[in-house]
Amino acid sequence: MSACSAPWHELNLSAPDSNVSACCYYGAKRDYWHDDPVDLSSYWNGAGLREVRRVQSGAIPSPNGCSSCFYFQQSLPGQGWVGNNYYDFSELPTGLSQMQAENWRQAKADYETKVEYATCSPLKLYANFGYTCNISCTMCHQVPRRGELKRQILADTILAWPEMLERCLQVFVVGGEPFAIPEAVKFIRKFSPDKRYEPVQLVLLTNGTALHKHWKTFREKRLLWLGVSLDSIGAGYEKIRVGGRWADVERNILTALEIKAKSHPDWKVTTSANIQKAGIPYLPEFAKWHVKHGIRTFFFDFISAPGVEDTYYTDNILQNPQLLDSVPHWMDSFEEASTVFRSAGWEAEAALLEQYRTRVTANADANAERIAGMRRQRNRNDWVGLPDTDGKKNLKESLVANSPAGKPPMEVVEVNGLSGFAKTRLGDFFATEFRMISVPPGGGKFRVRAHWPKGVPADGYTRLSHAIVQTDSGVELPDFREYQNFGFGTELVLTGELPEGTQAIRIVLPPLGEDITLLPERLEMDIAPETAVVADLRGAGGITRLASWAIDGVRRWKARVVSSP
């Protein structure tokens, strides 16, 4: 792979995460974003951007902040995104102003010589103004963090760099939803009519729900790109993008196309789609709708993040091929959609879908034996249950609330007889007490079952808590999991391996989404009798419990006698 062009091309600002970088994907330390206007060079040639340039010049060996780049992982042949660099410097774009063209040539020279101190200014400004949004998408990694990360980029901070803005080719305004963020709206309204920035393309990444409120502002901008995140259409759209109405979004997109046709030929309207199980049945109609209206689209992979694990395990068919069993005609949907795109001459869209289908098929074939084995393991009838301290099998009764140090206790709600998190705050969780076990050489197996009654959740905002199994050393054990919907409710079953020497395990239940997360009404944990033995809770001196202490802020556990028989 050639050196990435990003650190000589883009200045990436994120107010909610309080950082500055060369792109969204950099995985090491970034510079801090300040609200007060500062000299552009403090970011563009700050310690963070210079480090990325040193990485790309080969001065900093792997592993480094670029080693696990999601963009380039998805750009490999047959692995998704098309292209071999973040930005292509092979040909000067047309229609640039003299200032833009000079800046582009200097950026190209800086990139080709891999200078640490750039003499160009950014060609692309990517500004994430905040995480505020008016809908709650099931897979959005921002949703669980909105409650605490409320910071916005201040419009005047960026507008204080007029020369940089004039030399940019593109200015991206991102959220959250830009039109739900006051400072983003302020920036758009000041930037759009300013004649100094007439040659600069304004790119708005939006969910499209509020476009109808801003047509007057949009018409003042000749170079406008509306990138609308859809993921699906019709009922599929509304299942994924909770709170959005497909009829409203469709009307807004078609209105933008009408304005483009009548008076603004330089406008650009595109969409993007996260590929997930919920949208697969609608893929053919999605393709037909785009071709009918001449709207190009782009497909991308599910991105896993804390707080959206439920969607990852219920909708990511690439990483969880067992989900394909509940989508019997999934391959037909991919093939029909690809045919629609290819018939229209849209090779990029067809290729992305076909590459994704190939990856899913290959992963399903590679994991078929493992999935069958885990299902057999799950359904065996000789599991040994681990009771709570009162001898009851329903461990839900022994769950204890935990919150991060220095934060107030979590808010708990009761909904139709179920308890749960009133809102998502990352770091909060419920957990059972540690259960002592003895795992002999060769390891062991565990099973966890969590059950929610029929009718839960009752809406798209309320979610079911995530569940993991954790050892006494703090390690999360990998597992195979499936949700099963029966007439009496929903059951989540986890099965996995217990490492040799494991001394204790517990179940941890963190919140998901943004609003209420409900705990199960029943929670059970079992171990396989031939490979794991429940430790004797009565030692020579009394009842053995797990006590805890902390080293460098990390919670440690050990067994000790706390009472006599």
Side-chain angles (χ1 to χ4, degrees), residues 252-490:
N252 284 341
I253 293 174
L254 297 184
T255 299
L257 292 178
E258 182 180 351
I259 296 172
K260 170 181 168 65
K262 289 183 177 180
S263 59
H264 288 67
D266 294 321
W267 277 16
K268 184 177 180 180
V269 182
T270 62
T271 73
S272 61
N274 177 272
I275 300 180
Q276 56 191 92
K277 174 187 167 186
I280 290 174
Y282 305 91
L283 271 177
E285 293 306 312
F286 184 86
K288 293 174 185 176
W289 184 86
H290 280 77
V291 169
K292 175 183 177 181
H293 298 294
I295 303 170
R296 304 304 294 261
T297 191
F298 173 80
F299 298 97
F300 61 98
D301 278 2
F302 189 100
I303 301 175
S304 179
V308 293
E309 292 94 343
D310 55 341
T311 309
Y312 177 85
Y313 285 109
T314 58
D315 274 272
N316 188 341
I317 62 170
L318 177 61
Q319 300 301 326
N320 300 283
Q322 64 270 20
L323 297 173
L324 296 173
D325 291 350
S326 59
V327 194
H329 303 295
W330 72 272
M331 191 171 291
D332 293 340
S333 293
F334 274 88
E335 291 180 353
E336 184 178 350
S338 296
T339 299
V340 170
F341 284 130
R342 203 171 293 284
S343 297
W346 294 12
E347 295 296 324
E349 286 85 349
L352 285 172
L353 282 181
E354 289 164 2
Q355 290 170 1
Y356 193 84
R357 181 195 63 200
T358 299
R359 295 164 65 199
V360 170
T361 302
N363 196 45
D365 291 343
N367 284 277
E369 185 174 340
R370 181 185 71 87
I371 292 171
M374 296 302 288
R375 285 173 171 166
R376 288 193 298 270
Q377 185 71 27
R378 178 191 66 196
N379 296 328
R380 57 189 292 179
N381 58 14
D382 61 345
W383 291 96
V384 176
L386 293 181
D388 66 13
T389 54
D390 296 323
K392 300 175 182 177
K393 288 193 66 178
N394 186 2
L395 303 183
K396 189 258 183 183
E397 306 302 326
S398 67
L399 289 173
V400 177
N402 295 265
S403 295
K407 292 187 177 182
M410 72 176 76
E411 297 180 41
V412 179
V413 295
E414 294 285 333
V415 178
N416 297 329
L418 294 180
S419 56
F421 304 85
K423 61 181 180 180
T424 291
R425 187 178 64 179
L426 295 183
D428 289 341
F429 64 92
F430 279 89
T432 64
E433 293 182 356
F434 276 97
R435 297 305 190 271
M436 296 191 67
I437 58 175
S438 176
V439 181
K445 296 178 174 62
F446 69 84
R447 181 182 69 174
V448 169
R449 290 179 293 177
H451 181 267
W452 290 266
K454 184 178 180 180
V456 174
D459 58 66
Y461 294 95
T462 300
R463 294 163 88 154
L464 309 181
S465 61
H466 186 49
I468 63 173
V469 175
Q470 188 182 63
T471 70
D472 51 299
S473 60
V475 175
E476 177 183 339
L477 296 178
D479 59 61
F480 173 82
R481 61 181 61 206
E482 285 188 298
Y483 287 86
Q484 301 181 58
N485 294 309
F486 304 100
F488 55 84
T490 299

Side-chain angles (χ1 to χ4, degrees), residues 78-270:
Q79 296 295 310
W81 295 355
V82 178
N84 58 8
N85 208 330
Y86 193 74
Y87 178 77
D88 185 5
F89 275 107
S90 61
E91 185 176 349
L92 179 70
T94 60
L96 301 185
S97 69
Q98 182 178 346
M99 291 179 67
Q100 288 175 313
E102 291 174 352
N103 193 35
W104 187 92
R105 293 187 183 97
Q106 191 58 55
K108 179 180 181 180
D110 285 352
Y111 164 62
E112 290 176 345
T113 55
K114 307 298 183 291
V115 296
E116 179 179 335
Y117 284 84
T119 57
C120 65
S121 63
L123 295 177
K124 172 182 174 181
L125 177 69
Y126 184 100
N128 185 325
F129 274 81
Y131 282 169
T132 302
C133 192
N134 59 334
I135 62 177
S136 186
C137 301
T138 58
M139 73 298 176
C140 178
H141 67 87
Q142 296 179 358
V143 168
R145 299 185 284 164
R146 284 181 194 158
E148 294 190 282
L149 300 180
K150 297 180 178 294
R151 193 178 183 199
Q152 299 181 29
I153 285 179
L154 302 181
D156 290 339
T157 303
I158 299 178
L159 292 168
W161 298 330
E163 184 176 344
M164 181 274 288
L165 292 174
E166 285 187 76
R167 293 162 64 86
C168 274
L169 274 59
Q170 295 176 306
V171 172
F172 280 67
V173 177
V174 186
E177 168 52 42
F179 298 105
I181 303 172
E183 287 294 325
V185 174
K186 178 181 177 180
F187 175 83
I188 293 167
R189 287 177 174 168
K190 287 190 173 184
F191 183 85
S192 296
D194 196 318
K195 296 305 179 185
R196 292 176 295 177
Y197 311 134
E198 194 271 344
V200 183
Q201 185 182 55
L202 177 61
V203 185
L204 304 177
L205 302 187
T206 171
N207 61 35
T209 58
L211 296 180
H212 58 283
K213 300 178 182 179
H214 303 277
W215 295 127
K216 181 179 178 181
T217 299
F218 296 157
R219 290 175 189 272
E220 294 180 304
K221 188 61 182 166
R222 177 178 67 86
L223 293 177
L224 177 70
W225 180 358
L226 295 174
V228 184
S229 302
L230 285 185
D231 304 312
S232 189
I233 65 172
Y237 169 90
E238 294 179 2
K239 182 177 181 180
I240 296 169
R241 299 193 154 256
V242 178
R245 293 184 67 249
W246 167 246
D248 296 339
V249 175
E250 181 183 33
R251 181 176 61 250
N252 284 341
I253 293 174
L254 297 184
T255 299
L257 292 178
E258 182 180 351
I259 296 172
K260 170 181 168 65
K262 289 183 177 180
S263 59
H264 288 67
D266 294 321
W267 277 16
K268 184 177 180 180
V269 182
T270 62

